[in-house]
Amino acid sequence: MPYPAGHRSTVKKDIIDSARKLFNRHGFESVSLNRIMAGAGLTHGGFYSYFKSKSDLYAEVLGCFFTDPEWKSCWEGVHVDLSSTDVGPQVVRAYLSRQHFEDVENSCPMVALPTDVARSGASARRAFETVFKAMVSVLERSLAQSGRRRRATAQSIAALSIGGMVVARTMVDRVLADELRAACLAVALDLGGWNKRSKSKKKKFVQSRAPDEPSSRIRNNR
């Protein structure tokens, strides 16, 4: 009996999801193919129908919400709309969020796997680079600057977001880890000019309400 349409892509996604969770939790070297396939509800023998090697799978695991359209709904209360002109601050807030910090298995592999990537072959490092470039590109779209400064700012914000989460995850003191995430978030938003933008919007809102205030006072005084 033939498999239904889309069966192969569904199975491949299940393998990638299983590998992502296990790699994020235990690292690349510590996870066997048997364990990955078992996590997807499959046997070891079927692995090579979908991937050439563990490294080949590893490269595909190195995706994130910049390259995976379903990722934006991963964490409750965290919204990232890649089509929005305001996507930059959305990405930074999502990346440095409590949800991302706590959900290790479903976190962006750029946080969980950088040391593994550095020790891996060129294909894994290229995959990491591709995802990082995608993050920089998304951030760059929301910046008001132009030219090289704009790109450098986007790269700095991306590195600050990833590095901040990596360091926060290593800490035993949760209060200190939360302080670090908050500090990185504040600096990243300042670098992008996004704090100024939100303050400007708030100021405009207050100013637009001002003409009504005198009449409100008159009504209240009657």
Side-chain angles (χ1 to χ4, degrees):
M1 183 176 177
Y3 289 115
H7 171 78
R8 185 173 176 80
S9 59
T10 299
V11 171
K12 185 175 183 179
K13 183 179 183 301
D14 288 343
I15 297 171
I16 291 171
D17 287 345
S18 173
R20 175 186 288 134
K21 290 176 181 179
L22 290 168
F23 287 161
N24 279 357
R25 178 66 69 180
H26 305 289
F28 177 71
E29 298 294 343
S30 301
V31 178
S32 67
L33 292 182
N34 277 333
R35 195 171 178 186
I36 292 168
M37 296 300 281
L42 301 164
T43 60
H44 176 275
F47 176 82
Y48 294 100
S49 297
Y50 296 90
F51 303 96
K52 295 178 181 177
S53 65
K54 188 178 175 184
S55 294
D56 183 33
L57 168 62
Y58 191 42
E60 295 219 27
V61 163
L62 280 167
C64 200
F65 50 70
F66 319 109
T67 52
D68 183 350
E70 295 181 14
W71 198 282
K72 62 186 177 184
S73 302
C74 185
W75 304 305
E76 182 182 353
V78 176
H79 178 72
V80 177
D81 180 4
L82 293 178
S83 64
S84 170
T85 56
D86 208 28
V87 68
Q90 291 174 17
V91 165
V92 172
R93 289 190 176 98
Y95 216 91
L96 289 163
S97 67
R98 174 187 57 78
Q99 293 94 325
H100 192 194
F101 177 82
E102 293 177 348
D103 192 359
V104 174
E105 289 186 350
N106 291 308
S107 66
C108 175
M110 286 197 296
V111 171
L113 302 173
T115 53
D116 279 353
V117 172
R119 292 194 298 264
S120 297
S123 62
R125 294 203 304 275
R126 248 184 242 109
F128 188 98
E129 185 179 293
T130 297
V131 179
F132 182 78
K133 283 180 177 177
M135 183 178 187
V136 170
S137 178
V138 167
L139 294 171
E140 199 173 353
R141 290 206 318 260
S142 297
L143 295 174
Q145 301 157 333
S146 59
R148 291 183 180 178
R149 186 182 174 192
R150 178 176 179 148
R151 180 167 177 75
T153 300
Q155 289 174 326
S156 300
I157 294 170
L160 179 62
S161 299
I162 297 166
M165 188 60 80
V166 170
V167 176
R169 286 258 185 93
T170 66
M171 293 181 171
V172 176
D173 187 337
R174 177 58 189 264
V175 173
L176 187 57
D178 288 345
E179 285 178 357
L180 175 63
R181 285 191 301 107
C184 289
L185 175 60
V187 173
L189 291 175
D190 277 341
L191 280 173
W194 298 316
N195 268 339
K196 295 175 185 176
R197 194 181 304 176
S198 61
K199 288 176 184 175
S200 175
K201 286 180 181 178
K202 186 176 180 181
K203 185 177 179 181
K204 286 179 181 178
F205 175 76
V206 171
Q207 288 174 341
S208 69
R209 298 283 298 182
D212 295 330
E213 288 176 0
S215 58
S216 300
R217 291 197 198 99
I218 291 170
R219 285 197 299 270
N220 291 334
N221 289 333
R222 284 177 181 175

mmCIF file with all atom_site columns, all heavy atoms in Angstrom, residues 24-41:
data_model
loop_
_atom_site.group_PDB
_atom_site.id
_atom_site.type_symbol
_atom_site.label_atom_id
_atom_site.label_alt_id
_atom_site.label_comp_id
_atom_site.label_asym_id
_atom_site.label_entity_id
_atom_site.label_seq_id
_atom_site.pdbx_PDB_ins_code
_atom_site.Cartn_x
_atom_site.Cartn_y
_atom_site.Cartn_z
_atom_site.occupancy
_atom_site.B_iso_or_equiv
_atom_site.pdbx_formal_charge
_atom_site.auth_seq_id
_atom_site.auth_comp_id
_atom_site.auth_asym_id
_atom_site.auth_atom_id
_atom_site.pdbx_PDB_model_num
ATOM 1   N N   . ASN A 1 24 ? 19.991 19.897 21.251 1.00 0.00 ? 24 ASN A N   1
ATOM 2   C CA  . ASN A 1 24 ? 19.920 21.064 22.127 1.00 0.00 ? 24 ASN A CA  1
ATOM 3   C C   . ASN A 1 24 ? 20.120 20.673 23.594 1.00 0.00 ? 24 ASN A C   1
ATOM 4   O O   . ASN A 1 24 ? 20.715 21.412 24.373 1.00 0.00 ? 24 ASN A O   1
ATOM 5   C CB  . ASN A 1 24 ? 18.569 21.765 21.972 1.00 0.00 ? 24 ASN A CB  1
ATOM 6   C CG  . ASN A 1 24 ? 18.514 22.684 20.766 1.00 0.00 ? 24 ASN A CG  1
ATOM 7   O OD1 . ASN A 1 24 ? 19.501 22.852 20.060 1.00 0.00 ? 24 ASN A OD1 1
ATOM 8   N ND2 . ASN A 1 24 ? 17.359 23.269 20.517 1.00 0.00 ? 24 ASN A ND2 1
ATOM 9   N N   . ARG A 1 25 ? 19.603 19.523 23.953 1.00 0.00 ? 25 ARG A N   1
ATOM 10  C CA  . ARG A 1 25 ? 19.668 19.071 25.340 1.00 0.00 ? 25 ARG A CA  1
ATOM 11  C C   . ARG A 1 25 ? 21.008 18.419 25.687 1.00 0.00 ? 25 ARG A C   1
ATOM 12  O O   . ARG A 1 25 ? 21.560 18.624 26.762 1.00 0.00 ? 25 ARG A O   1
ATOM 13  C CB  . ARG A 1 25 ? 18.522 18.083 25.612 1.00 0.00 ? 25 ARG A CB  1
ATOM 14  C CG  . ARG A 1 25 ? 18.481 17.494 26.998 1.00 0.00 ? 25 ARG A CG  1
ATOM 15  C CD  . ARG A 1 25 ? 18.189 18.512 28.073 1.00 0.00 ? 25 ARG A CD  1
ATOM 16  N NE  . ARG A 1 25 ? 16.839 19.023 28.005 1.00 0.00 ? 25 ARG A NE  1
ATOM 17  C CZ  . ARG A 1 25 ? 16.354 19.934 28.849 1.00 0.00 ? 25 ARG A CZ  1
ATOM 18  N NH1 . ARG A 1 25 ? 17.142 20.420 29.803 1.00 0.00 ? 25 ARG A NH1 1
ATOM 19  N NH2 . ARG A 1 25 ? 15.125 20.377 28.731 1.00 0.00 ? 25 ARG A NH2 1
ATOM 20  N N   . HIS A 1 26 ? 21.547 17.615 24.759 1.00 0.00 ? 26 HIS A N   1
ATOM 21  C CA  . HIS A 1 26 ? 22.708 16.784 25.089 1.00 0.00 ? 26 HIS A CA  1
ATOM 22  C C   . HIS A 1 26 ? 23.958 17.062 24.252 1.00 0.00 ? 26 HIS A C   1
ATOM 23  O O   . HIS A 1 26 ? 25.024 16.536 24.576 1.00 0.00 ? 26 HIS A O   1
ATOM 24  C CB  . HIS A 1 26 ? 22.343 15.303 24.931 1.00 0.00 ? 26 HIS A CB  1
ATOM 25  C CG  . HIS A 1 26 ? 21.147 14.899 25.729 1.00 0.00 ? 26 HIS A CG  1
ATOM 26  N ND1 . HIS A 1 26 ? 21.164 14.810 27.108 1.00 0.00 ? 26 HIS A ND1 1
ATOM 27  C CD2 . HIS A 1 26 ? 19.880 14.569 25.340 1.00 0.00 ? 26 HIS A CD2 1
ATOM 28  C CE1 . HIS A 1 26 ? 19.966 14.439 27.541 1.00 0.00 ? 26 HIS A CE1 1
ATOM 29  N NE2 . HIS A 1 26 ? 19.169 14.283 26.494 1.00 0.00 ? 26 HIS A NE2 1
ATOM 30  N N   . GLY A 1 27 ? 23.844 17.848 23.188 1.00 0.00 ? 27 GLY A N   1
ATOM 31  C CA  . GLY A 1 27 ? 24.987 18.088 22.318 1.00 0.00 ? 27 GLY A CA  1
ATOM 32  C C   . GLY A 1 27 ? 25.053 17.088 21.176 1.00 0.00 ? 27 GLY A C   1
ATOM 33  O O   . GLY A 1 27 ? 24.395 16.038 21.205 1.00 0.00 ? 27 GLY A O   1
ATOM 34  N N   . PHE A 1 28 ? 25.847 17.411 20.187 1.00 0.00 ? 28 PHE A N   1
ATOM 35  C CA  . PHE A 1 28 ? 25.925 16.610 18.957 1.00 0.00 ? 28 PHE A CA  1
ATOM 36  C C   . PHE A 1 28 ? 26.558 15.242 19.197 1.00 0.00 ? 28 PHE A C   1
ATOM 37  O O   . PHE A 1 28 ? 26.034 14.206 18.790 1.00 0.00 ? 28 PHE A O   1
ATOM 38  C CB  . PHE A 1 28 ? 26.720 17.386 17.908 1.00 0.00 ? 28 PHE A CB  1
ATOM 39  C CG  . PHE A 1 28 ? 26.930 16.641 16.626 1.00 0.00 ? 28 PHE A CG  1
ATOM 40  C CD1 . PHE A 1 28 ? 25.896 16.416 15.749 1.00 0.00 ? 28 PHE A CD1 1
ATOM 41  C CD2 . PHE A 1 28 ? 28.203 16.175 16.290 1.00 0.00 ? 28 PHE A CD2 1
ATOM 42  C CE1 . PHE A 1 28 ? 26.101 15.737 14.558 1.00 0.00 ? 28 PHE A CE1 1
ATOM 43  C CE2 . PHE A 1 28 ? 28.415 15.492 15.100 1.00 0.00 ? 28 PHE A CE2 1
ATOM 44  C CZ  . PHE A 1 28 ? 27.357 15.279 14.236 1.00 0.00 ? 28 PHE A CZ  1
ATOM 45  N N   . GLU A 1 29 ? 27.694 15.224 19.852 1.00 0.00 ? 29 GLU A N   1
ATOM 46  C CA  . GLU A 1 29 ? 28.456 13.988 20.009 1.00 0.00 ? 29 GLU A CA  1
ATOM 47  C C   . GLU A 1 29 ? 27.758 12.961 20.888 1.00 0.00 ? 29 GLU A C   1
ATOM 48  O O   . GLU A 1 29 ? 27.922 11.752 20.702 1.00 0.00 ? 29 GLU A O   1
ATOM 49  C CB  . GLU A 1 29 ? 29.844 14.300 20.591 1.00 0.00 ? 29 GLU A CB  1
ATOM 50  C CG  . GLU A 1 29 ? 30.713 15.198 19.709 1.00 0.00 ? 29 GLU A CG  1
ATOM 51  C CD  . GLU A 1 29 ? 31.105 14.524 18.396 1.00 0.00 ? 29 GLU A CD  1
ATOM 52  O OE1 . GLU A 1 29 ? 30.990 13.292 18.301 1.00 0.00 ? 29 GLU A OE1 1
ATOM 53  O OE2 . GLU A 1 29 ? 31.514 15.249 17.476 1.00 0.00 ? 29 GLU A OE2 1
ATOM 54  N N   . SER A 1 30 ? 26.966 13.421 21.857 1.00 0.00 ? 30 SER A N   1
ATOM 55  C CA  . SER A 1 30 ? 26.386 12.512 22.849 1.00 0.00 ? 30 SER A CA  1
ATOM 56  C C   . SER A 1 30 ? 25.117 11.804 22.378 1.00 0.00 ? 30 SER A C   1
ATOM 57  O O   . SER A 1 30 ? 24.626 10.911 23.061 1.00 0.00 ? 30 SER A O   1
ATOM 58  C CB  . SER A 1 30 ? 26.057 13.285 24.136 1.00 0.00 ? 30 SER A CB  1
ATOM 59  O OG  . SER A 1 30 ? 27.221 13.872 24.656 1.00 0.00 ? 30 SER A OG  1
ATOM 60  N N   . VAL A 1 31 ? 24.597 12.194 21.238 1.00 0.00 ? 31 VAL A N   1
ATOM 61  C CA  . VAL A 1 31 ? 23.315 11.648 20.779 1.00 0.00 ? 31 VAL A CA  1
ATOM 62  C C   . VAL A 1 31 ? 23.537 10.680 19.619 1.00 0.00 ? 31 VAL A C   1
ATOM 63  O O   . VAL A 1 31 ? 24.153 11.029 18.615 1.00 0.00 ? 31 VAL A O   1
ATOM 64  C CB  . VAL A 1 31 ? 22.366 12.788 20.342 1.00 0.00 ? 31 VAL A CB  1
ATOM 65  C CG1 . VAL A 1 31 ? 21.050 12.215 19.826 1.00 0.00 ? 31 VAL A CG1 1
ATOM 66  C CG2 . VAL A 1 31 ? 22.117 13.741 21.490 1.00 0.00 ? 31 VAL A CG2 1
ATOM 67  N N   . SER A 1 32 ? 23.023 9.459  19.769 1.00 0.00 ? 32 SER A N   1
ATOM 68  C CA  . SER A 1 32 ? 23.179 8.441  18.720 1.00 0.00 ? 32 SER A CA  1
ATOM 69  C C   . SER A 1 32 ? 22.040 8.522  17.698 1.00 0.00 ? 32 SER A C   1
ATOM 70  O O   . SER A 1 32 ? 20.965 9.066  17.990 1.00 0.00 ? 32 SER A O   1
ATOM 71  C CB  . SER A 1 32 ? 23.187 7.040  19.341 1.00 0.00 ? 32 SER A CB  1
ATOM 72  O OG  . SER A 1 32 ? 21.908 6.737  19.886 1.00 0.00 ? 32 SER A OG  1
ATOM 73  N N   . LEU A 1 33 ? 22.271 7.949  16.523 1.00 0.00 ? 33 LEU A N   1
ATOM 74  C CA  . LEU A 1 33 ? 21.229 7.890  15.497 1.00 0.00 ? 33 LEU A CA  1
ATOM 75  C C   . LEU A 1 33 ? 20.041 7.059  15.979 1.00 0.00 ? 33 LEU A C   1
ATOM 76  O O   . LEU A 1 33 ? 18.890 7.366  15.667 1.00 0.00 ? 33 LEU A O   1
ATOM 77  C CB  . LEU A 1 33 ? 21.791 7.311  14.195 1.00 0.00 ? 33 LEU A CB  1
ATOM 78  C CG  . LEU A 1 33 ? 22.816 8.171  13.459 1.00 0.00 ? 33 LEU A CG  1
ATOM 79  C CD1 . LEU A 1 33 ? 23.234 7.493  12.159 1.00 0.00 ? 33 LEU A CD1 1
ATOM 80  C CD2 . LEU A 1 33 ? 22.242 9.561  13.151 1.00 0.00 ? 33 LEU A CD2 1
ATOM 81  N N   . ASN A 1 34 ? 20.322 5.991  16.720 1.00 0.00 ? 34 ASN A N   1
ATOM 82  C CA  . ASN A 1 34 ? 19.246 5.162  17.270 1.00 0.00 ? 34 ASN A CA  1
ATOM 83  C C   . ASN A 1 34 ? 18.300 6.000  18.135 1.00 0.00 ? 34 ASN A C   1
ATOM 84  O O   . ASN A 1 34 ? 17.079 5.864  18.046 1.00 0.00 ? 34 ASN A O   1
ATOM 85  C CB  . ASN A 1 34 ? 19.826 4.021  18.114 1.00 0.00 ? 34 ASN A CB  1
ATOM 86  C CG  . ASN A 1 34 ? 20.257 2.836  17.268 1.00 0.00 ? 34 ASN A CG  1
ATOM 87  O OD1 . ASN A 1 34 ? 19.719 2.610  16.187 1.00 0.00 ? 34 ASN A OD1 1
ATOM 88  N ND2 . ASN A 1 34 ? 21.226 2.082  17.756 1.00 0.00 ? 34 ASN A ND2 1
ATOM 89  N N   . ARG A 1 35 ? 18.900 6.845  18.958 1.00 0.00 ? 35 ARG A N   1
ATOM 90  C CA  . ARG A 1 35 ? 18.097 7.672  19.869 1.00 0.00 ? 35 ARG A CA  1
ATOM 91  C C   . ARG A 1 35 ? 17.281 8.710  19.103 1.00 0.00 ? 35 ARG A C   1
ATOM 92  O O   . ARG A 1 35 ? 16.125 8.985  19.442 1.00 0.00 ? 35 ARG A O   1
ATOM 93  C CB  . ARG A 1 35 ? 19.037 8.357  20.865 1.00 0.00 ? 35 ARG A CB  1
ATOM 94  C CG  . ARG A 1 35 ? 18.334 8.955  22.066 1.00 0.00 ? 35 ARG A CG  1
ATOM 95  C CD  . ARG A 1 35 ? 19.351 9.406  23.082 1.00 0.00 ? 35 ARG A CD  1
ATOM 96  N NE  . ARG A 1 35 ? 18.729 10.019 24.232 1.00 0.00 ? 35 ARG A NE  1
ATOM 97  C CZ  . ARG A 1 35 ? 19.411 10.600 25.204 1.00 0.00 ? 35 ARG A CZ  1
ATOM 98  N NH1 . ARG A 1 35 ? 20.733 10.640 25.170 1.00 0.00 ? 35 ARG A NH1 1
ATOM 99  N NH2 . ARG A 1 35 ? 18.777 11.153 26.228 1.00 0.00 ? 35 ARG A NH2 1
ATOM 100 N N   . ILE A 1 36 ? 17.886 9.278  18.082 1.00 0.00 ? 36 ILE A N   1
ATOM 101 C CA  . ILE A 1 36 ? 17.191 10.264 17.251 1.00 0.00 ? 36 ILE A CA  1
ATOM 102 C C   . ILE A 1 36 ? 15.993 9.625  16.560 1.00 0.00 ? 36 ILE A C   1
ATOM 103 O O   . ILE A 1 36 ? 14.873 10.165 16.579 1.00 0.00 ? 36 ILE A O   1
ATOM 104 C CB  . ILE A 1 36 ? 18.142 10.868 16.200 1.00 0.00 ? 36 ILE A CB  1
ATOM 105 C CG1 . ILE A 1 36 ? 19.206 11.735 16.882 1.00 0.00 ? 36 ILE A CG1 1
ATOM 106 C CG2 . ILE A 1 36 ? 17.364 11.699 15.177 1.00 0.00 ? 36 ILE A CG2 1
ATOM 107 C CD1 . ILE A 1 36 ? 20.357 12.132 15.972 1.00 0.00 ? 36 ILE A CD1 1
ATOM 108 N N   . MET A 1 37 ? 16.206 8.479  15.940 1.00 0.00 ? 37 MET A N   1
ATOM 109 C CA  . MET A 1 37 ? 15.137 7.804  15.210 1.00 0.00 ? 37 MET A CA  1
ATOM 110 C C   . MET A 1 37 ? 14.043 7.319  16.162 1.00 0.00 ? 37 MET A C   1
ATOM 111 O O   . MET A 1 37 ? 12.849 7.382  15.828 1.00 0.00 ? 37 MET A O   1
ATOM 112 C CB  . MET A 1 37 ? 15.705 6.649  14.395 1.00 0.00 ? 37 MET A CB  1
ATOM 113 C CG  . MET A 1 37 ? 16.675 7.083  13.301 1.00 0.00 ? 37 MET A CG  1
ATOM 114 S SD  . MET A 1 37 ? 15.914 8.199  12.093 1.00 0.00 ? 37 MET A SD  1
ATOM 115 C CE  . MET A 1 37 ? 15.017 7.010  11.076 1.00 0.00 ? 37 MET A CE  1
ATOM 116 N N   . ALA A 1 38 ? 14.435 6.845  17.331 1.00 0.00 ? 38 ALA A N   1
ATOM 117 C CA  . ALA A 1 38 ? 13.450 6.405  18.319 1.00 0.00 ? 38 ALA A CA  1
ATOM 118 C C   . ALA A 1 38 ? 12.571 7.581  18.754 1.00 0.00 ? 38 ALA A C   1
ATOM 119 O O   . ALA A 1 38 ? 11.361 7.434  18.949 1.00 0.00 ? 38 ALA A O   1
ATOM 120 C CB  . ALA A 1 38 ? 14.150 5.797  19.528 1.00 0.00 ? 38 ALA A CB  1
ATOM 121 N N   . GLY A 1 39 ? 13.185 8.756  18.876 1.00 0.00 ? 39 GLY A N   1
ATOM 122 C CA  . GLY A 1 39 ? 12.436 9.952  19.249 1.00 0.00 ? 39 GLY A CA  1
ATOM 123 C C   . GLY A 1 39 ? 11.419 10.351 18.201 1.00 0.00 ? 39 GLY A C   1
ATOM 124 O O   . GLY A 1 39 ? 10.425 11.017 18.506 1.00 0.00 ? 39 GLY A O   1
ATOM 125 N N   . ALA A 1 40 ? 11.664 9.941  16.961 1.00 0.00 ? 40 ALA A N   1
ATOM 126 C CA  . ALA A 1 40 ? 10.729 10.219 15.870 1.00 0.00 ? 40 ALA A CA  1
ATOM 127 C C   . ALA A 1 40 ? 9.767  9.055  15.641 1.00 0.00 ? 40 ALA A C   1
ATOM 128 O O   . ALA A 1 40 ? 8.967  9.077  14.699 1.00 0.00 ? 40 ALA A O   1
ATOM 129 C CB  . ALA A 1 40 ? 11.503 10.513 14.586 1.00 0.00 ? 40 ALA A CB  1
ATOM 130 N N   . GLY A 1 41 ? 9.883  8.004  16.488 1.00 0.00 ? 41 GLY A N   1
ATOM 131 C CA  . GLY A 1 41 ? 9.028  6.833  16.347 1.00 0.00 ? 41 GLY A CA  1
ATOM 132 C C   . GLY A 1 41 ? 9.416  5.944  15.186 1.00 0.00 ? 41 GLY A C   1
ATOM 133 O O   . GLY A 1 41 ? 8.574  5.261  14.597 1.00 0.00 ? 41 GLY A O   1
#
